[in-house]
Amino acid sequence: MYTIIVIPPPTTEDRHGRTQHRRRHERNHLQIRLAPGELLTFGRSARDNDLGIAHDGVSRRAGEITAQGAFWILSNLSREQTYVVENPEGAGEHIKVGPGRLDAPVPFEFSRIVLPAAGDLLPLDVWAPRHDYLSDGAGLDGATTAPAFSLDTSKRYFAVLAALCEPRLRGAPHAPLPTVDQVAERLRPAWPAASRTSVQWNIDYLAVKLRLKPSPGTADPGPRLNGKKEQLVSLALRFDLVREDDLVMLAAPSRTLGAARR
């Protein structure tokens, strides 16, 4: 059963319209599929690698991709170049694999290996679509675990959080966060009474609800929270509290957002 899919860069097509690969790797519409335990070598030399990348800036033996069930590992065989593995859906999330590093695990379902090559950045996409989950009834008996973050997507505070996260969820991982006034303007189609004061109140409420600061009136008020919006967005994106699918709520005039809390 194939579990890892590699999408070669355009430069891997040779002049005869064939992609260089060997062993049991299956090529289907520019896809190379790997079963658990199978290994794919890539580099400039088409003769010495399963996948040839015809670029003078790529090492003759550049790296290896090995399928490991629901994930894969990357070995960087270059002596000088660091490879970056990006998560295209992760708002800038990435890992670095330094020169000579072997068997670095890659945790992303959709990944893009970026190969620096003499002034060019060559993308090599790798998909890991297999998901393994516990079967029903596999857990232990007893009380259920309390949720780490309890958020109600029908409430106004969630809409405020979604509006704060929107620029980075739309593919601009380093975009500046919207101002409070911009958030209020963005929410008015679904929340006509949105104002600077009400949006700021919900941001303060989120900081308490997501435990970035203690509740008002506690014995220890905690330190002053600077960069509140940045910390909220960072936490929300890191733990998938807000997803791209949630952004539909921002411009839906037919939807009436509930009060911030009841």
Side-chain angles (χ1 to χ4, degrees), residues 129-214:
R130 170 176 159 181
H131 294 175
D132 294 338
Y133 297 97
L134 287 173
S135 59
D136 292 339
L140 301 176
D141 295 334
T144 59
T145 303
F149 306 102
S150 179
L151 295 176
D152 186 340
T153 59
S154 69
K155 296 294 189 280
R156 292 169 183 167
Y157 66 75
F158 187 83
V160 170
L161 185 59
L164 288 172
C165 295
E166 182 178 25
R168 297 183 183 180
L169 282 172
R170 298 258 187 224
H174 305 295
L177 298 183
T179 65
V180 173
D181 289 330
Q182 289 172 330
V183 170
E185 183 67 25
R186 183 72 177 92
L187 293 176
R188 286 201 181 102
W191 180 14
S195 66
R196 177 184 179 83
T197 301
S198 58
V199 168
Q200 186 61 59
W201 187 92
N202 278 275
I203 290 175
D204 291 337
Y205 176 66
L206 281 164
V208 174
K209 188 171 183 62
L210 296 180
R211 296 187 288 280
L212 296 182
K213 60 183 296 186

Side-chain angles (χ1 to χ4, degrees), residues 8 15 28 40 44 47 51 111 116 119 125 151 165 195 225:
R15 295 182 180 180
N28 180 20
L40 174 76
R44 186 175 78 250
R47 182 184 62 184
L51 174 61
S111 306
D125 291 344
L151 295 176
C165 295
S195 66
L225 185 64

Side-chain angles (χ1 to χ4, degrees), residues 6 26 46 66 87 98 101 106 122 126 144 149 155 207 253-254 256 258:
V6 181
E26 173 184 323
T66 305
N87 176 7
R101 170 71 191 275
V106 178
L122 304 181
V126 183
T144 59
F149 306 102
K155 296 294 189 280
S254 61
T256 302

Side-chain angles (χ1 to χ4, degrees), residues 93-111:
E93 188 177 20
H94 68 277
I95 62 174
K96 297 179 181 179
V97 181
R101 170 71 191 275
L102 301 179
D103 299 335
V106 178
F108 311 137
E109 178 179 354
F110 301 102
S111 306

